[in-house]
Amino acid sequence: MTGSPVETAFGPMLSGDGRPGQLWAMLPRELAAVFRPRLLDVADEVLREIQRTIPDYARPLDGAFGKALRAGVQAAILQFIDRIAASGPLPDERRKVFVGLGVHELAQGRNLDVLQAAYRVGARVTWRRMAEVGTRAGVPSATLCLLAEAIFAYIDELSALSIEGHAAAQARAAGALERRRRRLLDLLLADPPSPSRTVQEAATAAEWPLPHRLVAVALDGPADVTGLNALEDLEDGTPRLLLPAPADRGALTTALAGHRAAVGPPVPPRQAARSLATAQEALRLAADVLPDEPLTWCEDHLATLWLRKEPFLATEVSRRRLAPLTALTPKQYNRLAGTLLAWLETCGNVREVAERLAIHPQTVRARAQELETLFADHLRNPDSRFEMILALRATLP
């Protein structure tokens, strides 16, 4: 049959100039009648080979698994023969079979590597049988080559349908899990606290085991927190997260790079709302009362945050204990108040005060003398020292 229309058309396909859609139009329609009666039993051969070569499919073909796999193999073979007889797209009912196989793989907790390996095994076995049948029937070798290309193009088409099903099922599962996790976050942040049993059931449904302690994070805007194992609500005007404690400082700093955020103190799950309220307050005070840092850790500033929650008492303590500084100018106040806090917190260690304030030790000694003159015995009274530290932390930036 050298020079026949089939062989003539096959030349461009070998050179890569043809389009996949031309394959079916180039195959002689009479081939369907040649292969149909001889391929009805090849499905069993394909299934045996799949089970022999792919461990994940080696179990008995019963139940939903066996039914789905057997239906897929049979539908693939029958549709391939039908496509030879009349080229055209897969009917919807058969498309659903291969989309369903992708969904089934996700339900089994697998990616698509195993299913695609099964497709390749099926293509190899089917092609081997078709080559035998075609050779005995006198089908030209050029036509058999074209048929082989059609088989593997067809397998690519089936794989694409399974990928579509797998991806769609994955998206649905992710959406459902996201909704369950959002509900768990809302329950944990409820005030008053939600019933423990309700929270535990929601945690199980959300696949987020309740930790013994957790932290809340307040953010200045939405952030990519992939990989943090966090419950998140980044959609409204007060973005927030819940994380198991202790939170990894390095990982959190990296994940929230480019944002301002505050991490609340570690608390039991029933007190998550309090951790969040503290984090939100710290975020508000960042770069004003608290140090100017992108990520503020509340547990490093608990005394300051505590005092800021009771402004009247903080003011009264400041009025009583820092009265000797009130006659100073603002510049003098900040200079001596900062020195006083460092002096009290280091128990009068001149070198540590100098390092903390980046000044010369002799300057520290001179300021200490000023403070001694202003405060006298109060610098040696434990109660006075404690209240001065609290007052300074509440008022100094």
Side-chain angles (χ1 to χ4, degrees), residues 26 47 108 116 118 124 131 139 167 187 221 261 292 313-314 316 332:
M26 294 165 65
L47 287 170
Q108 296 300 309
Q116 289 177 330
R124 188 173 64 249
V139 177
L187 287 171
D292 186 6
L313 295 181
E316 286 300 299
Q332 291 173 325

Side-chain angles (χ1 to χ4, degrees), residues 211 213-217 228-230 241-253 256 262-267 275 295-297 299:
R213 297 176 75 79
L214 52 75
V215 295
V217 181
L228 287 183
N229 187 30
L241 309 173
L242 290 180
L243 293 164
D248 185 323
R249 292 200 174 200
L252 201 53
T253 300
L256 301 181
V263 183
V267 295
S275 181
L295 187 57
T296 299
W297 293 81
E299 60 185 344

Side-chain angles (χ1 to χ4, degrees), residues 32 56 62 156 196 241 247 336 339 368 372 383:
D56 290 81
D62 51 16
D156 286 344
S196 298
L241 309 173
L336 276 184
T339 303
E372 181 72 28
D383 290 339

Side-chain angles (χ1 to χ4, degrees), residues 52 113 126 170 185 188 249 335-336 355:
R52 188 184 69 81
D113 292 346
T126 302
Q170 197 169 43
L185 181 140
L188 286 168
R249 292 200 174 200
R335 175 173 59 82
L336 276 184
E355 291 178 356

Side-chain angles (χ1 to χ4, degrees), residues 108-332:
Q108 296 300 309
R110 290 190 290 257
N111 59 29
L112 286 175
D113 292 346
V114 174
L115 180 60
Q116 289 177 330
Y119 280 143
R120 291 192 293 272
V121 170
R124 188 173 64 249
V125 172
T126 302
W127 162 239
R128 187 168 60 234
R129 176 63 69 86
M130 293 185 83
E132 293 171 358
V133 172
T135 299
R136 286 198 299 268
V139 177
S141 59
T143 303
L144 290 177
C145 289
L146 184 61
L147 188 66
E149 189 168 350
I151 287 176
F152 289 100
Y154 177 63
I155 288 301
D156 286 344
E157 183 181 350
L158 302 188
S159 294
L161 290 172
S162 295
I163 291 171
E164 176 187 326
H166 191 276
Q170 197 169 43
R172 288 193 297 271
L177 185 63
E178 183 179 349
R179 289 191 295 274
R180 291 194 291 269
R181 290 194 168 189
R182 174 62 182 275
R183 177 174 181 267
L184 174 60
L185 181 140
D186 290 341
L187 287 171
L188 286 168
L189 293 178
D191 189 14
S194 305
S196 298
R197 181 174 179 179
T198 301
V199 172
Q200 185 58 63
E201 290 174 351
T204 301
E207 300 177 17
W208 201 80
L210 281 179
H212 294 298
R213 297 176 75 79
L214 52 75
V215 295
V217 181
L219 298 88
D220 64 357
D224 182 2
V225 294
T226 304
L228 287 183
N229 187 30
L231 300 178
E232 60 185 79
D233 177 6
L234 305 176
E235 297 176 359
D236 61 17
T238 57
R240 60 266 181 98
L241 309 173
L242 290 180
L243 293 164
D248 185 323
R249 292 200 174 200
L252 201 53
T253 300
T254 300
L256 301 181
H259 291 271
R260 281 195 174 275
V263 183
V267 295
R270 284 184 61 80
Q271 296 179 5
R274 294 187 176 184
S275 181
L276 178 61
T278 305
Q280 290 171 334
E281 176 69 3
L283 186 60
R284 187 179 67 82
L285 298 175
D288 180 13
V289 175
L290 299 179
D292 186 6
E293 299 172 341
L295 187 57
T296 299
W297 293 81
C298 291
E299 60 185 344
D300 296 341
H301 310 283
L302 290 178
T304 302
L305 291 167
W306 175 37
L307 289 167
R308 295 293 298 193
K309 292 294 288 184
E310 297 291 344
F312 171 75
L313 295 181
T315 300
E316 286 300 299
V317 171
S318 298
R319 184 183 62 79
R320 291 180 57 205
R321 294 305 179 191
L322 303 182
L325 300 177
T326 56
L328 303 178
T329 66
K331 183 177 180 180
Q332 291 173 325

